[in-house]
Amino acid sequence: MDKKVKEIPLIPLRGITIFPYMVLHFDVGREKSIAALEEAMMRDQEIFLVSQKDAKIEEPEESEIYTVGTLCSIKQILKLPGDTVRVLVEGLSRAKIIKYVEKEPFYKAEINVLEEDDYVKDNKCEALVRTLREVFEDYIKLSATIPSEALISFDDMEDPGRLCDIISSYLMLKGDIKQELLEVFDIAKRIEKLIVVINNELEILNIEKKIGVRVKNKIDKVQKEYYLREQLKAIQEELGEDDEEKKEITKYKNKIKKAKLPKQAKERALHELERLKNTGSYSSEGGVIRSYVDWILELPWNVETTDNVDIKRAREILEAEHYGLDDVKDRIIEYLAVKHMSKSLKGPILCLVGPPGVGKTSIAKSVAHALNRNFVRMSLGGVKDEAEIRGHRKTYVGAIPGRIVYGMKQAKSKNPLFLLDEIDKMSNDFRGDPSDALLEVLDSEQNNTFRDHYLELEMDLSDVMFITTANTLDTIPRPLLDRMEIIDVSGYTYEEKLNIAKRHLVPKQLKEHNVDEDIIKFTDSAISEIIEGYTRESGVRSLERQIASVIRKSLTEMLEKDTKSENITISQIKKYLGNVKFTYDKADKEDKIGVVTGMAWTAYGGDILPIEVSAMSGTGKLELTGQLGDVMKESAKAGYSYVRANASKYGIDPDFYKTTDLHIHVPEGAVPKDGPSAGVTMISAIVSALSKKKVRHNVAMTGEITLTGRVLPIGGLKEKCLAAYRAGIDTVIIPKENEKDLLKMPKSIKSKLNFIVATHIDEVIKDALIEEK
Ligand code: ADP
């Protein structure tokens, strides 16, 4: 390496390092540097550029300037506004300061200019150069800052020293690393060092890239959403929907103002509207908010109907619309009387209990009519989730209010008559017990602040008149039962059915078919035929259906035969409805051993329940066959035990349980029957079979039994007696405690039957079994 000593002005560089062969422009502002520049321009236009160690220092001392720098030639000078000068320089060769010659007005130093040796091509050098090219190629691929064409210009560069310097000037490196590269004079070492530096950079770039991908993914998503939203807005604006949105919000605002909402509901509605403004009503959230506000607006918060307190008129309406049902009517009139006096209609909830089709729903509707209240009906059958009563919380997707709020919306007034049908058909599961929610609804102390989960607003249900219906009381939870006043709506007798059909069902069906009453006329015997031969029920629902069916067929017949009117008689019924569908079980016509007629009460009304027992020699087995439910099986076993314990009293061999097999059979009737009331029948039959005493064929009985033989009361006496009468029985044995029910028994039955009351099974047996003379 040749050395050339020179005295030359020097400019300390801040934050840049210049390599030989590099062309670069930079701005000079410091007074000292400008002076050095001017001096250089006046001489040979060469200047020594060397970096200062810390770029922040304004006026660096000698010690704060590196000693190795680059001798450059000045290519161009441009005066910029202010005192700044822009200089374009080209690096010539490395140089090292020997000493400073002047410090003021600019630095001048004696430098050693280092001319590069000629490059000797050997294998090691060649290998190094190749490696350098490779890593630099990788670097270019990764860093987007260097155009890939740069590589091509390196391809035919023979001088590895020069290659090194040019590559170094391309790299984005920290100042001190560049300086280190500048200070390596030996070419092989310089290449090695550069390879290390580039490899290091590559590693950093790789990591950066990985981080970059992750960050970019995140940003991309956010940006995409933002972008789409903006686009949507633009589209909406273009379509004029933005305007529509505003219009919609104003429309809601007006509606809220007009609707007489309670304070909290109004505030809530306005608050939601505010949210709607922000989300935009075309978003999915917007849909949820709108339907919520709609719900608030559609509920009858302050709409009320005026009650009719005219008791006379109310009674007239009830009488006109329903035959019989005196209990219900009386209770409703009492209700009204209390309301008339106290001006408040609080009190127990009425629960109408009875088999299907006895008019529970329709009398409730009449009550609404009589009171001049709106009517809503909601069936609770199959409800097993609390949320069905009280609504789903709004956090659920697709949440809706519960049935109570739904019913109130339908009612359109805050004081409707609300019928909760089939309250006995509710069940519960893991999602909570609906009866708990119902308790709150029905409790007049609590229901003025009923809170639906969806609505999240308090609703006043205290003006609502609730009536519930059920088929049976057995499955109604006790606390619920306590809240209600039970009114039995039992089945109808044949006479009642006839009257209902004549006065209500036939006119109603004719009207529904748009037929005048004098065009199709039903004779009483025809209606009787339908009741007896084509229906088997406690209520009149299927009777009504059959009447409708007769009317339809009769109409068709009249059209076909071109006649103007028709009288419906028994023969028409046979023609239109086909063969008789039901015959009632008839009791035996003779006295027999071991055969006793019991009476049962089913969902379809009363029926007789014959029980047969036969005794045969054996080992004491007890066999039960036929149509026995669980309760009846128990009664059979209890009866068996009772007879064993009291065998001698009835003249039965006390050892019969070792020597005699008993077979109890309950013949399958038209309808399945079960219940405890077969107790007395069971014992009577066993005693008869074992004592070989005949049973009176004209006697029927009913009553639950204890192990000591006491006869307990039963339900459904009226229906049972009706069935017994139909079956040809003339004497019925009933529990003493049911004697009071006879008061309410229709005269038509009472006059035709002979009643015997019993408190103990002995009395039953005495009356039912025939003592051998
Ligand atoms: P439930 O609710 O007890 O099952 P519904 O109220 O549905 O019975 O009654 C069935 C049909 O029988 C209705 O059309 C009803 O008008 C009629 N009905 C029942 N009982 C009477 C009655 N006592 N007087 C007039 N119509 C009746």
Side-chain angles (χ1 to χ4, degrees), residues 33-71:
S33 305
I34 290 174
L37 205 56
E38 278 166 0
E39 168 78 8
M41 286 309 285
M42 279 188 293
R43 295 167 47 166
D44 51 3
Q45 297 171 7
E46 283 189 346
I47 192 148
F48 184 52
L49 298 178
V50 56
S51 303
Q52 57 186 63
K53 292 177 185 168
D54 183 351
K56 285 196 261 337
I57 297 171
E58 224 0 84
E59 300 219 349
E61 298 294 313
E62 292 155 34
S63 61
E64 286 162 340
I65 301 173
Y66 287 114
T67 51
V68 178
T70 305
L71 174 68

Short mmCIF file of all heavy atoms in Angstrom, two decimals, residues 33-71:
data_model
loop_
_atom_site.label_atom_id
_atom_site.label_comp_id
_atom_site.label_asym_id
_atom_site.label_seq_id
_atom_site.Cartn_x
_atom_site.Cartn_y
_atom_site.Cartn_z
N SER A 33 -17.28 24.18 9.05
CA SER A 33 -17.28 23.25 7.91
C SER A 33 -17.37 24.03 6.60
O SER A 33 -16.72 23.69 5.61
CB SER A 33 -18.46 22.29 8.01
OG SER A 33 -18.43 21.64 9.25
N ILE A 34 -18.21 25.11 6.63
CA ILE A 34 -18.34 25.90 5.40
C ILE A 34 -16.98 26.55 5.05
O ILE A 34 -16.56 26.57 3.89
CB ILE A 34 -19.44 26.97 5.57
CG1 ILE A 34 -20.79 26.23 5.60
CG2 ILE A 34 -19.41 27.98 4.43
CD1 ILE A 34 -21.98 27.11 5.90
N ALA A 35 -16.28 27.01 6.09
CA ALA A 35 -14.95 27.61 5.87
C ALA A 35 -14.00 26.59 5.24
O ALA A 35 -13.28 26.90 4.29
CB ALA A 35 -14.40 28.13 7.20
N ALA A 36 -14.05 25.34 5.75
CA ALA A 36 -13.17 24.29 5.21
C ALA A 36 -13.50 24.04 3.74
O ALA A 36 -12.61 23.87 2.91
CB ALA A 36 -13.36 23.01 6.02
N LEU A 37 -14.82 24.07 3.48
CA LEU A 37 -15.29 23.83 2.12
C LEU A 37 -14.77 24.91 1.17
O LEU A 37 -14.27 24.62 0.06
CB LEU A 37 -16.83 23.84 2.14
CG LEU A 37 -17.57 23.07 1.07
CD1 LEU A 37 -17.12 21.60 1.07
CD2 LEU A 37 -19.08 23.15 1.34
N GLU A 38 -14.88 26.15 1.64
CA GLU A 38 -14.43 27.26 0.79
C GLU A 38 -12.94 27.14 0.49
O GLU A 38 -12.50 27.31 -0.64
CB GLU A 38 -14.72 28.59 1.51
CG GLU A 38 -16.17 29.01 1.30
CD GLU A 38 -16.59 30.11 2.25
OE1 GLU A 38 -15.77 30.57 3.08
OE2 GLU A 38 -17.78 30.50 2.17
N GLU A 39 -12.20 26.79 1.53
CA GLU A 39 -10.76 26.62 1.37
C GLU A 39 -10.47 25.54 0.31
O GLU A 39 -9.67 25.73 -0.59
CB GLU A 39 -10.14 26.23 2.73
CG GLU A 39 -8.70 25.74 2.68
CD GLU A 39 -7.68 26.88 2.54
OE1 GLU A 39 -8.11 28.06 2.64
OE2 GLU A 39 -6.48 26.61 2.32
N ALA A 40 -11.18 24.43 0.44
CA ALA A 40 -10.96 23.31 -0.49
C ALA A 40 -11.28 23.73 -1.92
O ALA A 40 -10.58 23.37 -2.87
CB ALA A 40 -11.84 22.13 -0.09
N MET A 41 -12.36 24.52 -2.07
CA MET A 41 -12.78 24.94 -3.40
C MET A 41 -11.69 25.81 -4.03
O MET A 41 -11.49 25.78 -5.24
CB MET A 41 -14.09 25.71 -3.33
CG MET A 41 -15.31 24.84 -3.08
SD MET A 41 -15.44 23.45 -4.19
CE MET A 41 -15.99 24.27 -5.67
N MET A 42 -11.03 26.58 -3.14
CA MET A 42 -10.01 27.45 -3.69
C MET A 42 -8.76 26.67 -4.05
O MET A 42 -7.99 27.07 -4.88
CB MET A 42 -9.67 28.55 -2.67
CG MET A 42 -10.71 29.65 -2.76
SD MET A 42 -10.25 31.07 -1.77
CE MET A 42 -10.34 30.46 -0.15
N ARG A 43 -8.56 25.55 -3.43
CA ARG A 43 -7.38 24.73 -3.76
C ARG A 43 -7.73 23.70 -4.83
O ARG A 43 -8.31 24.03 -5.84
CB ARG A 43 -6.86 24.07 -2.49
CG ARG A 43 -6.35 25.10 -1.48
CD ARG A 43 -6.13 24.51 -0.10
NE ARG A 43 -5.40 23.26 -0.18
CZ ARG A 43 -4.83 22.66 0.86
NH1 ARG A 43 -4.88 23.25 2.04
NH2 ARG A 43 -4.21 21.53 0.75
N ASP A 44 -7.52 22.43 -4.56
CA ASP A 44 -7.72 21.41 -5.62
C ASP A 44 -9.08 20.71 -5.53
O ASP A 44 -9.29 19.63 -6.08
CB ASP A 44 -6.61 20.37 -5.53
CG ASP A 44 -6.49 19.84 -4.12
OD1 ASP A 44 -7.32 20.26 -3.25
OD2 ASP A 44 -5.61 18.99 -3.86
N GLN A 45 -9.97 21.32 -4.82
CA GLN A 45 -11.32 20.78 -4.64
C GLN A 45 -11.34 19.39 -4.01
O GLN A 45 -12.20 18.58 -4.27
CB GLN A 45 -12.06 20.74 -5.98
CG GLN A 45 -12.22 22.13 -6.51
CD GLN A 45 -12.74 22.14 -7.93
OE1 GLN A 45 -13.10 21.12 -8.49
NE2 GLN A 45 -12.75 23.31 -8.50
N GLU A 46 -10.31 19.15 -3.20
CA GLU A 46 -10.31 17.89 -2.45
C GLU A 46 -10.53 18.21 -0.97
O GLU A 46 -10.09 19.23 -0.48
CB GLU A 46 -8.98 17.16 -2.64
CG GLU A 46 -8.92 16.48 -3.99
CD GLU A 46 -7.72 15.56 -4.13
OE1 GLU A 46 -6.78 15.63 -3.27
OE2 GLU A 46 -7.71 14.76 -5.07
N ILE A 47 -11.22 17.30 -0.32
CA ILE A 47 -11.51 17.54 1.09
C ILE A 47 -11.45 16.22 1.83
O ILE A 47 -11.71 15.15 1.25
CB ILE A 47 -12.87 18.23 1.26
CG1 ILE A 47 -13.03 18.74 2.69
CG2 ILE A 47 -14.02 17.29 0.90
CD1 ILE A 47 -13.85 20.00 2.77
N PHE A 48 -11.11 16.30 3.10
CA PHE A 48 -11.05 15.07 3.88
C PHE A 48 -12.30 14.98 4.75
O PHE A 48 -12.57 15.84 5.59
CB PHE A 48 -9.78 15.07 4.76
CG PHE A 48 -9.59 13.79 5.52
CD1 PHE A 48 -9.64 12.54 4.85
CD2 PHE A 48 -9.36 13.79 6.88
CE1 PHE A 48 -9.45 11.37 5.55
CE2 PHE A 48 -9.17 12.61 7.58
CZ PHE A 48 -9.22 11.39 6.91
N LEU A 49 -13.09 13.94 4.53
CA LEU A 49 -14.34 13.78 5.29
C LEU A 49 -14.17 12.63 6.27
O LEU A 49 -13.81 11.51 5.89
CB LEU A 49 -15.51 13.48 4.36
CG LEU A 49 -15.82 14.58 3.33
CD1 LEU A 49 -16.98 14.13 2.44
CD2 LEU A 49 -16.17 15.88 4.04
N VAL A 50 -14.43 12.95 7.55
CA VAL A 50 -14.26 11.91 8.56
C VAL A 50 -15.39 12.05 9.59
O VAL A 50 -15.79 13.16 9.96
CB VAL A 50 -12.84 12.00 9.19
CG1 VAL A 50 -12.58 13.36 9.75
CG2 VAL A 50 -12.65 10.93 10.26
N SER A 51 -15.93 10.94 10.02
CA SER A 51 -17.09 10.98 10.92
C SER A 51 -16.69 11.38 12.32
O SER A 51 -15.60 11.04 12.79
CB SER A 51 -17.74 9.60 11.01
OG SER A 51 -18.10 9.17 9.74
N GLN A 52 -17.59 12.09 13.00
CA GLN A 52 -17.34 12.33 14.42
C GLN A 52 -18.00 11.21 15.21
O GLN A 52 -18.96 10.59 14.77
CB GLN A 52 -17.85 13.72 14.83
CG GLN A 52 -19.32 13.98 14.57
CD GLN A 52 -19.70 15.42 14.88
OE1 GLN A 52 -19.20 16.36 14.23
NE2 GLN A 52 -20.58 15.58 15.87
N LYS A 53 -17.43 10.96 16.41
CA LYS A 53 -17.86 9.77 17.14
C LYS A 53 -19.31 9.91 17.61
O LYS A 53 -20.07 8.96 17.60
CB LYS A 53 -16.93 9.52 18.33
CG LYS A 53 -15.55 9.10 17.86
CD LYS A 53 -14.58 8.92 19.02
CE LYS A 53 -13.16 8.61 18.50
NZ LYS A 53 -12.15 8.72 19.56
N ASP A 54 -19.66 11.13 18.04
CA ASP A 54 -21.02 11.33 18.51
C ASP A 54 -21.68 12.41 17.65
O ASP A 54 -21.26 13.56 17.65
CB ASP A 54 -20.97 11.77 19.99
CG ASP A 54 -22.37 11.92 20.55
OD1 ASP A 54 -23.35 11.87 19.77
OD2 ASP A 54 -22.50 12.08 21.78
N ALA A 55 -22.71 12.00 16.92
CA ALA A 55 -23.31 12.89 15.94
C ALA A 55 -23.95 14.12 16.57
O ALA A 55 -24.20 15.12 15.90
CB ALA A 55 -24.35 12.12 15.12
N LYS A 56 -24.22 14.05 17.89
CA LYS A 56 -24.97 15.15 18.49
C LYS A 56 -24.09 16.37 18.80
O LYS A 56 -24.61 17.47 19.00
CB LYS A 56 -25.63 14.66 19.80
CG LYS A 56 -26.86 13.76 19.51
CD LYS A 56 -27.69 13.60 20.73
CE LYS A 56 -27.55 12.37 21.54
NZ LYS A 56 -27.14 11.13 21.38
N ILE A 57 -22.79 16.18 18.83
CA ILE A 57 -21.93 17.30 19.25
C ILE A 57 -21.78 18.33 18.13
O ILE A 57 -21.53 17.99 16.98
CB ILE A 57 -20.53 16.76 19.68
CG1 ILE A 57 -20.75 15.85 20.90
CG2 ILE A 57 -19.57 17.88 20.01
CD1 ILE A 57 -19.54 15.07 21.31
N GLU A 58 -22.01 19.59 18.50
CA GLU A 58 -21.99 20.67 17.52
C GLU A 58 -20.55 20.97 17.07
O GLU A 58 -20.26 21.07 15.88
CB GLU A 58 -22.57 21.89 18.22
CG GLU A 58 -23.58 22.85 17.58
CD GLU A 58 -24.08 22.63 16.18
OE1 GLU A 58 -25.02 21.83 16.02
OE2 GLU A 58 -23.57 23.29 15.26
N GLU A 59 -19.67 21.18 18.11
CA GLU A 59 -18.28 21.51 17.77
C GLU A 59 -17.33 20.48 18.36
O GLU A 59 -16.84 20.61 19.46
CB GLU A 59 -17.93 22.90 18.36
CG GLU A 59 -18.83 23.98 17.81
CD GLU A 59 -18.05 25.27 17.57
OE1 GLU A 59 -16.89 25.36 18.02
OE2 GLU A 59 -18.61 26.15 16.92
N PRO A 60 -17.08 19.42 17.63
CA PRO A 60 -16.28 18.33 18.21
C PRO A 60 -14.80 18.70 18.38
O PRO A 60 -14.25 19.46 17.59
CB PRO A 60 -16.45 17.22 17.17
CG PRO A 60 -16.76 17.92 15.90
CD PRO A 60 -17.44 19.21 16.24
N GLU A 61 -14.25 18.18 19.48
CA GLU A 61 -12.80 18.28 19.69
C GLU A 61 -12.13 17.27 18.77
O GLU A 61 -12.79 16.37 18.23
CB GLU A 61 -12.48 17.92 21.15
CG GLU A 61 -13.09 18.83 22.17
CD GLU A 61 -12.53 20.25 22.10
OE1 GLU A 61 -11.29 20.37 22.03
OE2 GLU A 61 -13.34 21.20 22.07
N GLU A 62 -10.81 17.39 18.69
CA GLU A 62 -10.07 16.43 17.85
C GLU A 62 -10.30 14.99 18.31
O GLU A 62 -10.47 14.08 17.50
CB GLU A 62 -8.55 16.71 17.93
CG GLU A 62 -8.18 18.01 17.28
CD GLU A 62 -6.87 18.58 17.86
OE1 GLU A 62 -5.99 17.79 18.21
OE2 GLU A 62 -6.79 19.83 17.97
N SER A 63 -10.31 14.86 19.63
CA SER A 63 -10.43 13.51 20.17
C SER A 63 -11.82 12.93 19.89
O SER A 63 -12.05 11.73 20.02
CB SER A 63 -10.17 13.53 21.67
OG SER A 63 -11.14 14.36 22.28
N GLU A 64 -12.75 13.79 19.57
CA GLU A 64 -14.11 13.30 19.33
C GLU A 64 -14.35 12.98 17.85
O GLU A 64 -15.46 12.75 17.42
CB GLU A 64 -15.13 14.34 19.81
CG GLU A 64 -15.21 14.37 21.32
CD GLU A 64 -15.87 15.65 21.85
OE1 GLU A 64 -15.93 16.66 21.14
OE2 GLU A 64 -16.31 15.60 23.00
N ILE A 65 -13.26 13.02 17.10
CA ILE A 65 -13.37 12.70 15.68
C ILE A 65 -12.54 11.46 15.41
O ILE A 65 -11.46 11.30 15.97
CB ILE A 65 -12.83 13.89 14.84
CG1 ILE A 65 -13.64 15.14 15.17
CG2 ILE A 65 -12.89 13.59 13.35
CD1 ILE A 65 -13.10 16.42 14.54
N TYR A 66 -13.12 10.53 14.59
CA TYR A 66 -12.34 9.32 14.25
C TYR A 66 -11.09 9.74 13.50
O TYR A 66 -11.01 10.84 12.94
CB TYR A 66 -13.16 8.38 13.37
CG TYR A 66 -14.28 7.66 14.09
CD1 TYR A 66 -15.61 7.90 13.79
CD2 TYR A 66 -13.97 6.69 15.07
CE1 TYR A 66 -16.63 7.23 14.43
CE2 TYR A 66 -15.00 6.03 15.72
CZ TYR A 66 -16.33 6.29 15.40
OH TYR A 66 -17.31 5.64 16.04
N THR A 67 -10.11 8.85 13.43
CA THR A 67 -8.88 9.22 12.71
C THR A 67 -8.90 8.76 11.27
O THR A 67 -8.18 9.29 10.43
CB THR A 67 -7.63 8.64 13.40
OG1 THR A 67 -7.86 7.25 13.59
CG2 THR A 67 -7.36 9.32 14.72
N VAL A 68 -9.70 7.74 10.95
CA VAL A 68 -9.73 7.26 9.58
C VAL A 68 -10.96 7.83 8.86
O VAL A 68 -12.06 7.81 9.40
CB VAL A 68 -9.78 5.71 9.54
CG1 VAL A 68 -9.87 5.22 8.09
CG2 VAL A 68 -8.56 5.13 10.22
N GLY A 69 -10.74 8.35 7.68
CA GLY A 69 -11.84 8.92 6.91
C GLY A 69 -11.60 8.71 5.44
O GLY A 69 -10.81 7.86 5.04
N THR A 70 -12.27 9.50 4.61
CA THR A 70 -12.16 9.29 3.17
C THR A 70 -11.79 10.62 2.50
O THR A 70 -12.43 11.65 2.76
CB THR A 70 -13.48 8.79 2.59
OG1 THR A 70 -13.86 7.62 3.32
CG2 THR A 70 -13.35 8.45 1.12
N LEU A 71 -10.79 10.55 1.68
CA LEU A 71 -10.42 11.71 0.87
C LEU A 71 -11.40 11.78 -0.27
O LEU A 71 -11.64 10.79 -0.96
CB LEU A 71 -8.99 11.52 0.35
CG LEU A 71 -8.51 12.60 -0.62
CD1 LEU A 71 -8.35 13.94 0.12
CD2 LEU A 71 -7.20 12.19 -1.27
#
